[in-house]
Amino acid sequence: MATARVLAVSNSSCLLTKTTSFLAKQRPYRNNLRFTTTRRDAAAPSLSSRRRSLTCRAIYNPEVQIKEEGLPETLDYRVFLVDRSGQKVSPWHDVPLRSGDGAFHFIVEIPKESSAKMEVATDEPNTPIKQDTKKGKLRYYPYNINWNYGLLPQTWEDPSLANSEVDGAFGDNDPVDVVEIGESRRKVGEILKVKPLAALAMIDEGELDWKIVAISLDDPKSSLVNDIDDVEKHFPGTLTAIRDWFRDYKIPDGKPANKFGLGNKPANKDYALKVITETNESWAKLVKRSIPAGDLSLV
């Protein structure tokens, strides 16, 4: 019998300067549900508290909980996001992409040093996170992934749109993937604020599958890395390791290596931001039904 448990989302002991509410006011796209941002104002803070606020404001602690249904590593296991009223909300459609200050929200699907192939179920109501299957069997990577992996909400790689800069490849019909290179192992369904650093244009069986390399703003090295050159300096070899991991992970199953566009090299932060903007625009067209959704769930 399926089980359900609710885990509070909390990734910091710091006092936050902002909170995000899943409740209430209307926004145009998603079932009259909008994210609103409010401030917690107090008397003039001390210098030390101001410094602490500047350090900790990066951490995202929304009024949302992770609700697990079923048991991990079973076909019926699902990870939902729920608001304070217990209503399920979509990690793909309802979490805002932008978090302010040039940062973006990132939802963890696969924690680092794990191999279960977890992903947002884009064809199920409320798009929960589940373990991918093939021919009725749960899917695993042949070895652990070495970084936190997940998606940027409110993005979509349009399968009807050919990218002239990446060999004319069409989008893979999924949200944009993120490879988060921070030191901490995160949890499935956890929401972080990240800053993009680079982009890899992976081509998987002819489909464009962007990988945005990013770092959580609460990582100790976050202030040191702001673009692709900083990654090479403070995380030497990481960009090559990410490319090679995604190039080769299908080989043990007898499939060919994946390819990469853009000269087989990662693009810089500005290019990553361009990818994010374009795929957010595609998502907006999708949820406004300017583009056929096919089997995708928009609720």
Side-chain angles (χ1 to χ4, degrees), residues 89-106:
V89 294
S90 168
W92 182 18
H93 300 304
D94 290 328
V95 177
L97 170 62
R98 293 173 175 84
S99 62
D101 299 327
F104 298 84
H105 289 130
F106 158 61

Side-chain angles (χ1 to χ4, degrees), residues 21-94:
S21 175
F22 279 74
L23 305 177
K25 298 183 181 179
Q26 296 181 350
R27 70 178 173 87
Y29 295 146
R30 282 274 301 147
N31 299 333
N32 295 331
L33 180 66
R34 189 178 80 169
F35 287 71
T36 58
T37 302
T38 59
R39 290 187 181 274
R40 292 197 297 190
D41 295 321
S46 66
L47 178 60
S48 62
S49 66
R50 286 202 301 270
R51 285 174 177 166
R52 183 168 60 251
S53 175
L54 288 172
T55 300
C56 301
R57 67 180 180 178
I59 303 167
Y60 181 58
N61 189 19
E63 298 172 8
V64 64
Q65 293 178 321
I66 297 171
K67 180 181 179 181
E68 297 179 274
E69 295 185 359
L71 297 175
E73 299 188 65
T74 63
L75 292 173
D76 64 348
Y77 179 62
R78 299 291 185 274
V79 178
F80 289 93
L81 297 184
V82 297
D83 63 17
R84 288 186 301 173
S85 70
Q87 178 182 351
K88 293 175 179 176
V89 294
S90 168
W92 182 18
H93 300 304
D94 290 328

Side-chain angles (χ1 to χ4, degrees), residues 121-291:
T122 58
D123 59 349
E124 295 184 11
N126 302 301
T127 63
I129 299 171
K130 69 172 186 178
Q131 189 167 351
D132 191 23
T133 61
K134 184 175 183 179
K135 297 181 179 180
K137 295 183 178 181
L138 297 172
R139 293 187 66 189
Y140 295 85
Y141 290 119
Y143 33 72
N144 285 351
I145 189 167
N146 306 126
W147 312 273
N148 297 300
Y149 188 58
L151 73 140
L152 287 174
Q154 298 186 346
T155 61
W156 179 57
E157 299 192 50
D158 184 351
S160 69
L161 187 64
N163 191 310
S164 60
E165 297 179 3
V166 188
D167 303 333
F170 291 86
D172 71 350
N173 203 32
D174 281 326
V176 170
D177 297 326
V178 172
V179 182
E180 194 276 317
I181 62 174
E183 68 176 21
S184 298
R185 185 178 191 269
R186 305 297 186 161
K187 298 178 182 179
V188 177
E190 192 171 354
I191 304 172
L192 306 175
K193 292 174 73 171
V194 301
K195 55 181 173 182
L197 304 168
L200 285 160
M202 190 175 92
I203 302 173
D204 183 356
E205 298 182 8
E207 294 180 336
L208 180 55
D209 187 3
W210 286 107
K211 309 297 180 189
I212 302 297
V213 180
I215 190 167
S216 177
L217 296 191
D218 66 344
D219 188 84
K221 290 187 177 181
S222 175
S223 63
L224 302 177
V225 287
N226 294 291
D227 210 326
I228 189 170
D229 292 337
D230 299 325
V231 179
E232 292 293 354
K233 179 179 179 180
H234 296 284
F235 295 84
T238 295
L239 291 171
T240 298
I242 292 171
R243 184 199 62 195
D244 292 352
W245 195 98
F246 283 99
R247 182 192 65 198
D248 297 340
Y249 78 90
K250 290 186 175 182
I251 293 177
D253 293 329
K255 294 185 177 181
N258 288 318
K259 298 179 180 180
F260 287 85
L262 305 180
N264 203 39
K265 297 179 180 179
N268 63 14
K269 177 180 180 177
D270 285 343
Y271 200 97
L273 293 173
K274 172 176 174 285
V275 170
I276 293 170
T277 298
E278 291 175 351
T279 54
N280 176 240
E281 291 170 354
S282 292
W283 171 85
K285 293 176 182 177
L286 175 70
V287 295
K288 287 188 289 186
R289 293 170 172 78
S290 300
I291 298 174

